[in-house]
Each structure stands twice: as C-alpha cells, then as structure tokens.
C-alpha cells in the first residue's frame, strides 16, 4: 500500500484513487492508511483526501521503483488512471459540465 503512494506525482489523492493504485478496496485501504495517519505520516484534508509530506512521497517513490517491477508499476498506474473517469461517470455531475478545449 505504502509504495503505491509514490506511483504518481503529488502528495495527496482520494482513498478511492489510493485503493485503485494498491489494487485494494476502499475499506481495506482506509484501514491500512489509519496507522500512518495516527503517527502523522498522513493527514486528512477537509474533503477526506489523505495528504503526505514530500519526504514521505519520496520514500514511497524510492520503494516502488526499487521493489516493484516495471510491469507491476505500470499495472498499478493504469488502475489509478482508469479510476478517475470511472469515478467521474458515477458522480451526479459526471463530466457534463467540464469544458472541452476546442469546442
């Protein structure tokens, strides 16, 4: 779980996106992130989106690059990227109100 936090740039993402990267469900992911939140490695924003310090991200990135194969990393990254349009399609607003450049 921890290593998957280093797959993408940035120091925060939703529980759902973190779950997608780790290949877990959201409840499992929340349970796994809980101890890191209790020791202040992660913190919640007002929208329930965990964030972490740049150094935590850098360690996760080093670990994922050193301990996961390229195939495993790409598969996890695909899960994260697939998560966003799927989640948006399920939301009440969906992508209806997002401006499309050139239209």
């Amino acid at each position: 779980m921890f290593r998957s936090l280093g797959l993408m740039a940035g120091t925060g993402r939703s529980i759902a996106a973190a779950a997608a990267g780790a290949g877990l469900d959201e409840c499992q992911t929340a349970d796994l992130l809980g101890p890191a939140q209790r020791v202040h490695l992660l913190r919640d924003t007002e929208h329930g989106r965990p964030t972490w310090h740049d150094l935590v991200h850098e360690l996760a990135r080093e670990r994922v690059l050193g301990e996961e194969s390229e195939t495993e990393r790409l598969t996890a990254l695909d899960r994260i990227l697939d998560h966003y349009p799927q989640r948006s399609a399920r939301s009440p607003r969906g992508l209806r109100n997002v401006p499309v450049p050139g239209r």
Side-chain angles (χ1 to χ4, degrees), residues 31-66:
D31 288 346
L32 290 171
L33 293 178
Q37 289 170 315
R38 285 191 288 282
V39 297
H40 307 288
L41 290 175
L42 302 176
R43 61 184 167 84
D44 281 329
T45 64
E46 65 276 0
H47 301 291
R49 179 186 173 118
T51 62
W52 47 90
H53 192 278
D54 290 345
L55 293 175
V56 172
H57 184 261
E58 186 59 32
L59 178 58
R61 181 147 181 82
E62 286 178 15
R63 297 270 314 267
V64 76
L65 291 173

Side-chain angles (χ1 to χ4, degrees), residues 1-81:
M1 172 72 243
F2 175 73
R3 292 187 304 261
S4 71
L5 298 177
L7 285 167
M8 294 180 63
T11 58
R13 71 188 46 93
S14 68
I15 294 288
L24 302 170
D25 68 39
E26 291 181 44
C27 290
Q28 289 173 304
T29 300
D31 288 346
L32 290 171
L33 293 178
Q37 289 170 315
R38 285 191 288 282
V39 297
H40 307 288
L41 290 175
L42 302 176
R43 61 184 167 84
D44 281 329
T45 64
E46 65 276 0
H47 301 291
R49 179 186 173 118
T51 62
W52 47 90
H53 192 278
D54 290 345
L55 293 175
V56 172
H57 184 261
E58 186 59 32
L59 178 58
R61 181 147 181 82
E62 286 178 15
R63 297 270 314 267
V64 76
L65 291 173
E67 298 174 26
E68 304 281 337
S69 70
E70 182 177 10
T71 300
E72 291 169 318
R73 292 191 311 268
L74 290 174
T75 299
L77 189 56
D78 283 344
R79 286 192 307 261
I80 294 170
L81 295 175

Side-chain angles (χ1 to χ4, degrees), residues 93-99:
R93 283 184 49 182
L95 292 174
R96 289 189 305 265
N97 299 320
V98 175

